[in-house]
Amino acid sequence: MRLHVDQRHERVLELVRERGSLRVAELAEELGMSAVTLRRDVEALAAQGLVERLHGAVVWPTGQSRPALAAAPPAEGLVVGMVVPTTEYYYADVVRGARQTVEAAGARLTIGLSRYLPDEDAAQARRLLSTGADGLLLTPSWESGCPEPGEGLWAVEQGVPVVLVERSAPLGHPAAGLDRVRSDHAHGAAEAVAHLAGLGHRAIALAVQDSPTAPRLRVGYRAAVEALGLTPVSAAPLDGAPSRSEAKRFERTLEYLCEAVASGNVTAAIVHSDADAIVLIPRLQARGVRVPEDLAVIAYDDEVAGLADLPLTAVAPDKHAVGAAAARLLLDRLGATEPGAADPGAGESGRRPAARRHLDILPSLRIRVSCGAVAAAP
């Protein structure tokens, strides 16, 4: 027979009052409840000040009469769930950074993959919670990197701490209040523009593939062009009409860059991604466009840019740092790490402040041959 919510709350309070401290997983098993339901009950009781949740455990509130508590449970036993589109290419380092940080804290990371399939993000999150995840690192498959109106509400309804990874939500959207960590792609694009401008280029093209990264690249590119007083360049054809065919995408981008160079104005380009740049540069050269003499190129991502036969200057998002920072933020939220001396918000209780945090990790620019700032080896 299922207990009414009030009966469940009374039973939770009775057991915690009696024993002082209980692991959430142990309490769920003893009460015959799902871990998801118990977490929601504990959150509700904690919001009323009737219990405290700390380090994946439920404890009797400080200052109230209760049995002596055992030492606070360690992070060991905590489970961090992570939903990402894939563990290949870009996200391999993001996952690696999160995993190393979680395991260094004595916790465990479990992974769910959405493969960009519709509704799969929420399904994977539910699966991870049902198998014991105490908190979630989420990279939803939002095409623009942000949810559309009415999209993404599920991310704020999980009943456990959530950190968005390489995603953000617009102001006013419920998910905008979630913790998040992302690469500042706009800053990365602006740094690339500034570097090319410093080399004397006044008209710089931007060729990006359709991806959640693209909108932020366009924002940074346009801001830097305006701030530096550079010559505006017509938008790439893919900006208004993305191509679903890889062959068509390369063909259209190639034509755009060749025409831009032939016009006599454009002398530099930023290409997303570096894999695209590796494909495009030989085709440009076959059409008589020399790199970097006729067209200086900076790639975006730096996954394989340094391995090209003409090593590519590239903007390199620190994906490992993004994953690590997101994991630390979630572990802090779960109470699995101790506040450092530099944390001004830690009070006498030693607990982290409840304020949400939005962290932007700045990419770095790695100079190689393709931008013309470094001479090619003889």
Side-chain angles (χ1 to χ4, degrees):
M1 178 179 176
R2 296 182 61 183
L3 297 176
H4 184 270
V5 61
D6 292 336
Q7 294 174 307
R8 296 201 311 264
H9 287 185
E10 289 177 4
R11 184 63 178 142
V12 169
L13 289 173
E14 179 183 345
L15 288 172
V16 177
R17 183 188 301 112
E18 178 182 304
R19 303 181 193 178
S21 175
L22 279 168
R23 299 287 305 175
V24 171
E26 294 170 356
L27 187 54
E29 184 177 357
E30 181 160 345
L31 294 176
M33 297 165 54
S34 74
V36 173
T37 299
L38 180 59
R39 288 190 190 94
R40 289 173 180 161
D41 287 348
V42 169
E43 291 292 336
L45 293 170
Q48 301 173 57
L50 299 176
V51 298
E52 293 181 1
R53 185 174 178 189
L54 184 63
H55 293 205
V58 189
V59 301
W60 194 250
T62 303
Q64 293 193 27
S65 176
R66 59 180 172 83
L69 293 180
E76 184 178 357
L78 275 182
V79 178
V80 171
M82 187 174 195
V83 179
V84 288
T86 174
T87 55
E88 302 166 0
Y89 198 61
Y90 191 99
Y91 289 101
D93 265 354
V94 176
V95 171
R96 191 174 296 113
R99 179 182 179 181
Q100 290 174 356
T101 301
V102 167
E103 292 180 350
R108 183 167 66 93
L109 183 74
T110 59
I111 290 288
L113 300 179
S114 71
R115 306 300 297 183
Y116 295 102
L117 297 173
D119 303 319
E120 192 63 25
D121 296 307
Q124 290 296 322
R126 288 194 299 270
R127 183 183 64 79
L128 292 175
L129 290 177
S130 72
T131 57
D134 295 285
L136 294 170
L137 301 171
L138 298 179
T139 304
S141 303
W142 298 333
E143 289 187 6
S144 65
C146 296
E148 299 296 329
E151 183 182 28
L153 299 179
W154 63 272
V156 300
E157 298 171 347
Q158 297 304 310
V160 298
V162 168
V163 177
L164 295 178
V165 184
E166 292 291 19
R167 296 291 185 266
S168 61
L171 295 175
H173 190 286
L178 294 174
D179 294 304
R180 69 156 169 79
V181 179
R182 67 178 185 181
S183 298
D184 192 338
H185 295 306
H187 176 87
E191 284 289 290
V193 171
H195 179 73
L196 290 169
L199 295 175
H201 300 282
R202 307 305 300 168
I204 302 166
L206 175 70
V208 298
Q209 59 176 272
D210 186 37
S211 74
T213 303
R216 300 305 303 163
L217 295 181
R218 295 187 183 105
V219 167
Y221 165 80
R222 291 165 185 160
V225 166
E226 181 178 353
L228 296 170
L230 304 181
T231 303
V233 175
S234 60
L238 296 179
D239 285 2
S243 177
R244 298 301 177 188
S245 163
E246 287 281 297
K248 286 290 185 183
R249 176 159 65 87
F250 284 117
E251 181 181 331
R252 292 168 66 193
T253 303
L254 177 64
E255 290 301 324
Y256 166 69
L257 292 175
C258 287
E259 290 173 8
V261 173
S263 72
N265 294 323
V266 173
T267 58
I270 300 166
V271 178
H272 175 239
S273 62
D274 53 351
D276 278 21
I278 287 176
V279 173
L280 283 167
I281 286 177
R283 298 185 183 191
L284 286 167
Q285 293 169 330
R287 294 278 293 271
V289 177
R290 299 172 300 164
V291 177
E293 293 85 355
D294 300 324
L295 185 70
V297 172
I298 293 182
Y300 199 94
D301 266 359
D302 202 32
E303 288 285 340
V304 290
L307 302 179
D309 57 346
L310 178 72
L312 303 176
T313 295
V315 178
D318 195 337
K319 303 150 192 145
H320 188 281
V322 167
R328 282 194 300 270
L329 206 165
L330 183 59
L331 290 169
D332 285 355
R333 185 67 64 189
L334 291 169
T337 59
E338 292 297 327
D343 184 352
E348 292 182 2
S349 66
R351 299 184 66 183
R352 295 274 186 177
R356 303 289 180 181
R357 283 170 280 180
H358 289 176
L359 304 180
D360 286 348
I361 308 295
L362 302 186
S364 58
L365 183 65
R366 295 174 181 167
I367 309 299
R368 301 188 182 99
V369 176
S370 67
C371 67
V374 177

